[in-house]
Amino acid sequence: MKLLRFGPPGHEKPGLLDAQGVVRDLSAHVRDIDGDAIGPDALARLRALDPATLPAVPGNPRIGACVGRIGKFVCIGLNYADHAAESNMPIPAEPIVFNKWTSAVVGPNDDVKIPRGSEKTDWEVELGVVIGTAASYVEEADAMNYVAGYCVVNDVSERSYQLERGGTWDKGKGCDTFGPTGPWLVTADEVPDPHALDLWLEVDGRRFQNGSTRTMIFKVPQLVAYLSRFMTLQPGDVISTGTPPGVGMGVKPQPVYLRPGQTLRLGIEGLGEQCQKTVAA
């Protein structure tokens, strides 16, 4: 299934994208596409519905973040060997973990705000993993049983805040609008191998990122098992799993960063596309 949320910010309704690309309203069956709606039993009930019996949503509504009430937005740094190389950083021995604040979460086509005073706002297309079942001290062999599905994430990053201002990476990763998520939560049964997906990103029509999840250092089962040793992963939590090469910071001979008035397009094979305009905060 491709689950989604549609409507104005803060008032999104749950929906489903049918095989013909029509958005169907799930409001009569679930309150929201959130942690309560994406456990195995809840997904089985939704899967049993005939999409043709659900009301079609008219017009072209705004699409919100594909998961509501995200509890934790956990991110993994330098998880592609070629991205680590372009960043002049060593391949990590263990996953690098940081967080995005949930106030960063926006819809896949909402504006991205360039923070006041920013000169190094950057982009990162990433595979998002959505947790469906609470996971604590899980084994790697069982870890995929805790995954509800996958989505596109743009891990927008302010590099000077992240790397030049001291402290952890978090301050450069969690600014408002720095977490476009969606358009859909694609359930795990429709993604037989999350490590065989092409992903890409363009700025103003120029392709900067063109990679594959095949080159991830730490795969999804490793990440879920690893994180579950430091925190309980709860239904509705999102793990953003790192980015392939082609970020603005790595452009040679001169880095390229975002400014207001630009257009970002990005996507992952089978998981949909995002399109954002950059604006001044």
Side-chain angles (χ1 to χ4, degrees):
M1 291 182 294
K2 293 182 173 67
L3 302 174
L4 56 88
R5 301 168 68 246
F6 64 93
H11 300 278
E12 292 92 346
K13 294 181 178 181
L16 177 152
L17 191 74
D18 72 15
Q20 288 71 47
V22 176
V23 175
R24 300 282 181 167
D25 192 338
L26 282 172
S27 298
H29 300 276
V30 291
R31 177 188 62 183
D32 199 355
I33 303 301
D34 58 12
D36 293 335
I38 58 175
D41 293 343
L43 288 179
R45 288 191 292 270
L46 294 179
R47 201 171 283 114
L49 299 173
D50 179 358
T53 66
L54 301 171
V57 177
N60 187 29
R62 169 189 172 269
I63 302 299
C66 60
V67 182
R69 300 189 302 149
I70 294 172
K72 293 190 288 296
F73 200 154
V74 186
C75 302
I76 307 300
L78 300 177
N79 198 27
Y80 287 68
D82 34 12
H83 172 54
E86 76 171 348
S87 303
N88 295 314
M89 295 182 182
I91 293 175
E94 295 188 33
I96 295 173
V97 180
F98 61 91
N99 296 288
K100 282 186 178 289
W101 319 125
T102 54
S103 52
V105 177
V106 290
N109 305 314
D110 291 342
D111 291 343
V112 166
K113 296 179 181 178
I114 307 297
R116 297 176 186 177
S118 165
E119 296 181 351
K120 296 183 179 181
T121 297
D122 204 345
W123 57 81
E124 296 188 7
V125 59
E126 305 200 359
L127 173 69
V129 177
V130 182
I131 298 298
T133 302
S136 179
Y137 295 102
V138 305
E139 297 299 326
E140 188 176 319
D142 300 325
M144 297 299 270
N145 295 327
Y146 296 83
V147 173
Y150 304 92
C151 63
V152 182
V153 172
N154 188 356
D155 176 17
V156 186
S157 309
E158 213 296 339
R159 300 303 188 188
S160 64
Y161 299 178
Q162 175 190 357
L163 301 172
E164 301 169 17
R165 299 281 294 271
T168 67
W169 287 9
D170 301 311
K171 69 164 80 76
K173 293 288 192 169
C175 301
D176 291 354
T177 74
F178 272 25
T181 304
W184 316 310
L185 165 56
V186 181
T187 52
D189 58 299
E190 294 198 8
V191 186
D193 186 358
H195 311 108
L197 303 175
D198 294 333
L199 61 172
W200 55 273
L201 182 144
E202 298 175 351
V203 182
D204 291 339
R206 177 182 170 186
R207 181 69 59 99
F208 281 91
Q209 292 190 273
N210 207 17
S212 170
T213 57
R214 293 177 180 85
T215 62
M216 289 171 62
I217 299 167
F218 302 104
K219 308 299 187 184
V220 174
Q222 293 173 280
L223 294 174
V224 172
Y226 182 84
L227 293 172
S228 78
R229 280 149 178 74
F230 300 97
M231 67 194 83
T232 298
L233 296 171
Q234 297 163 322
D237 287 351
V238 175
I239 305 168
S240 198
T241 58
T243 198
V247 300
M249 179 176 64
V251 175
K252 302 292 190 294
Q254 184 69 31
V256 175
Y257 295 113
L258 295 169
R259 61 186 185 277
Q262 295 186 288
T263 300
L264 289 159
R265 288 186 64 247
L266 57 147
I268 300 178
E269 179 184 356
L271 304 185
E273 298 184 9
Q274 301 184 352
C275 183
Q276 298 116 26
K277 300 289 187 181
T278 56
V279 299

